[in-house]
Amino acid sequence: QVQLVESGGGLVQTGGSLRLSCVASGRTDDRNTMGWFRQAPGKERELVARIWWTTGETTYADFVKGRFTISKDNYLNTLYLQMSSLEPEATAVYSCTAVHSGYESWGQGTQVTVSS
């Protein structure tokens, strides 16, 4: 009963920036963490970043550390992924996830394409 809706994806040139947003609605009071995953065609889905909802503690994949920043707005019930210095390797579908007690919720994803 938790709905996650991503937005902010699109086409950007190498070196550009994008900010992805994920708005959560429904029963969201049992969240432990929220995060971003990405999946490129023919590749496995991989974790990009995760944030602990109550504390704000964050973790990042090694390949994006220093270029991507995960954050949240409790008032707006929104998760963000700020991406800078984008390279073509970042092209993928980015999905928002919320980890609850015993289950996970997923958004449908938003496409990010980085061109030369």
Side-chain angles (χ1 to χ4, degrees):
Q1 292 185 336
V2 176
Q3 185 178 20
L4 305 174
V5 180
E6 301 99 333
S7 63
L11 177 64
V12 64
Q13 292 183 327
T14 298
S17 300
L18 285 173
R19 188 177 75 162
L20 308 183
S21 299
C22 173
V23 179
S25 60
R27 276 178 36 85
T28 61
D29 56 334
D30 62 343
R31 285 172 296 184
N32 294 315
T33 67
M34 294 190 70
W36 292 96
F37 285 74
R38 72 182 187 184
Q39 186 169 25
K43 301 291 198 303
E44 294 186 357
R45 186 171 60 191
E46 59 185 348
L47 174 68
V48 178
R50 189 184 301 279
I51 186 168
W52 272 252
W53 195 256
T54 58
T55 67
E57 181 182 0
T58 60
T59 60
Y60 294 91
D62 290 341
F63 66 91
V64 299
K65 187 74 165 62
R67 296 184 293 118
F68 293 2
T69 302
I70 189 171
S71 62
K72 61 184 179 70
D73 189 318
N74 291 22
Y75 181 77
L76 297 177
N77 208 12
T78 301
L79 180 74
Y80 302 99
L81 183 68
Q82 178 67 51
M83 303 184 293
S84 61
S85 301
L86 285 167
E87 299 176 353
E89 290 77 14
T91 296
V93 175
Y94 286 73
S95 299
C96 173
T97 183
V99 179
H100 312 267
S101 298
Y103 66 98
E104 296 180 347
S105 300
W106 290 87
Q108 294 299 308
T110 184
Q111 176 71 48
V112 171
T113 302
V114 184
S115 64
S116 300

